[in-house]
Amino acid sequence: MGTDQAPLSGIKVIDASTIIAGPLCCQILGDFGAEVIKIEHPTKPDGLRGHGHQKNGHPIWWKEVSRNKRGVALSLSVPSGAEALKRLVRDADVLVENFRPGTLERWGLSPAELHALNPGLVIVRITGFGQTGPYAARAGFGTLAESMSGFAHLTGPADAAPSLPAFGLADSICGIAASSATVMALRHRDATGEGQVVDMSILEPILTAVGPSPTVYQQLGIIGERNGNRSVNNAPRNTYLTGDGKWLAISTSAQSIAERVLTLVGHPEVITEPWFATGAGRVEHVELLDGYVGDWIAARTLDEVVEAFTEAGAAIAPVYDAADIVDDPHIRQTEMLTEVNDPDLGPLLQHNVMWRMSKSPGSIRFTGRAHGADTDAVLLEAGYTADQIQDLRESGAIK
């Protein structure tokens, strides 16, 4: 499906960001119809090209995060390259960048200068800690946000070191949040004609996702601690090993689910205990409840446990690895994963667009492009002549 029905059809986005948060934001915008132009340095391309696995020299992660983006190799730090960006933003709707605060200003590309050329431009600035404050000038990465947000402090067994995720959690949360912020700014622009600067830090979205621990501390003086896979809010909630060596996770956030689980595992007598009536009460008796549930699950196979829980209307899920995800019939049937034709790798399985829209769906039109694949075409569209493009190439401003 093309972009004619997509909600962001007609929106032009300049992606001058790198690695995960900014590029994911722009991937989402592109998935829903925006024309995205990806800017990379001519000799130092986006470091994401070197992240993760490759096949025959082609980076697999890049193929997804940079899908639906045309690629331009352009140096913004040289005057002729900065001038080229100015030409591109004259008719753009959005610029996404993640340079350290002050970098664009040093290159003569400050928001004030860009808004003088295009008053309606939405400038999304993604940094580790935001544009202001004591840490604004610090290098910022998702790992630091995962540490400072309280995520690492609360993650892992109680008797082990704080745990960091094995993937770009903070960056990804930030990228999704930034796509929402971008659309809000575009909504404001459409109503008023005014562009604006969106100041997005990697830290703040995951700080929100971790939950109300600052409020709890302010009100009660309580600092949360690591609790493994258990929850401080309800029980039983954990991962459990089946008799055939498979792991399962269950949650009993709802009182009715907790009652169904304990009835299923053969201990309905605890349901009438006064402490069972609240999540907090059940947490106080977590060893007892985990023992009942764990023993019952350990005596059965994964298939037997899932079937019994499903019939009882209780919440359960297997702990999946990548092979399990690919094989899952629900994930396949609902097209959470989809195959896209890639010129280098052939049929390429990717995450689908992140949500379904009945009237204006998104689409994957093409996968991540080679470095600078569309430089000439994009600059020609911006009004450069072939001779001028050659001059830029000889000066090192483009590849």
Side-chain angles (χ1 to χ4, degrees):
M1 182 177 293
T3 61
D4 54 330
Q5 291 182 313
L8 297 181
S9 178
I11 296 295
K12 180 177 178 180
V13 177
I14 309 298
D15 178 4
S17 62
T18 56
I19 307 295
I20 304 175
L24 177 58
C25 167
C26 295
Q27 176 205 314
I28 295 168
L29 300 176
D31 284 352
F32 286 93
E35 175 196 357
V36 182
I37 298 173
K38 170 73 177 180
I39 305 293
E40 296 180 82
H41 192 277
T43 60
K44 295 176 285 187
D46 190 336
L48 189 64
R49 290 183 181 272
H51 280 45
H53 295 284
Q54 299 195 0
K55 182 178 180 182
N56 300 328
H58 299 291
I60 293 174
W61 196 1
W62 175 265
K63 293 287 189 179
E64 178 168 322
V65 176
S66 290
R67 69 193 188 195
N68 294 331
K69 303 178 186 180
R70 293 197 290 168
V72 173
L74 175 65
S75 175
L76 305 184
S77 63
V78 299
S80 57
E83 180 59 35
L85 182 72
K86 288 180 179 179
R87 287 208 195 187
L88 293 177
V89 301
R90 285 181 188 273
D91 66 345
D93 299 281
V94 179
L95 170 67
V96 178
E97 63 95 5
N98 69 338
F99 299 104
R100 288 199 197 186
T103 301
L104 284 188
E105 287 80 356
R106 190 169 68 249
W107 293 340
L109 297 169
S110 69
E113 290 167 293
L114 297 179
H115 280 145
L117 299 170
N118 181 353
L121 183 68
V122 172
I123 303 173
V124 182
R125 312 193 76 174
I126 299 176
T127 56
F129 303 102
Q131 297 293 314
T132 61
Y135 304 153
R138 290 186 181 181
F141 296 97
T143 298
L144 309 186
E146 288 147 9
S147 178
M148 292 179 64
S149 64
F151 173 86
H153 174 76
L154 293 173
T155 304
D159 57 352
S163 293
L164 295 168
F167 55 93
L169 177 63
D171 283 284
S172 297
I173 295 173
C174 178
I176 297 167
S179 70
S180 177
T182 302
V183 174
M184 292 181 190
L186 287 171
R187 172 79 172 169
H188 172 84
R189 192 277 309 271
D190 291 345
T192 67
E194 298 174 336
Q196 62 181 293
V197 175
V198 177
D199 183 1
M200 174 69 70
S201 77
I202 298 174
L203 175 59
E204 195 161 2
I206 190 172
L207 191 68
T208 299
V210 169
S213 56
T215 309
V216 171
Y217 173 71
Q218 184 255 345
Q219 290 292 310
L220 302 174
I222 295 173
I223 296 176
E225 298 296 338
R226 288 184 294 286
N227 201 29
N229 290 320
R230 288 173 171 170
S231 169
V232 297
N233 300 312
N234 64 83
R237 188 266 199 182
N238 210 331
T239 56
Y240 305 89
L241 189 63
T242 66
D244 55 348
K246 305 292 185 179
W247 287 98
L248 292 159
I250 71 168
S251 175
T252 57
S253 296
Q255 180 69 23
S256 60
I257 299 297
E259 294 174 2
R260 292 171 193 170
V261 169
L262 270 298
T263 299
L264 174 64
V265 301
H267 291 279
E269 72 281 359
V270 298
I271 295 173
T272 58
E273 295 287 345
W275 53 262
F276 196 87
T278 66
R282 297 197 301 276
V283 168
E284 293 176 357
H285 296 79
V286 64
E287 296 293 345
L288 175 70
L289 298 177
D290 260 355
Y292 288 158
V293 174
D295 289 347
W296 188 90
I297 289 176
R300 291 160 176 81
T301 67
L302 180 144
D303 289 342
E304 290 171 341
V305 174
V306 170
E307 182 178 358
F309 266 69
T310 302
E311 288 181 357
I316 194 166
V319 175
Y320 275 176
D321 60 21
D324 297 320
I325 294 169
V326 170
D327 291 339
D328 183 85
H330 181 84
I331 290 173
R332 282 292 198 174
Q333 185 173 329
T334 58
E335 297 185 313
M336 295 182 191
L337 300 174
T338 187
E339 282 193 353
V340 186
N341 187 53
D342 179 77
D344 302 311
L345 301 176
L348 185 63
L349 191 67
Q350 293 191 347
H351 298 100
N352 207 341
V353 298
M354 203 170 292
W355 49 83
R356 311 292 179 265
M357 299 180 69
S358 62
K359 298 296 184 182
S360 53
S363 65
I364 303 170
R365 300 177 295 284
F366 52 90
T367 55
R369 307 273 282 157
H371 184 212
D374 305 289
T375 301
D376 287 25
V378 169
L379 292 180
L380 285 169
E381 293 170 7
Y384 282 88
T385 66
D387 288 342
Q388 289 172 327
I389 292 173
Q390 184 59 29
D391 290 342
L392 286 171
R393 186 162 282 116
E394 290 176 356
S395 73
I398 65 172
K399 175 182 177 182

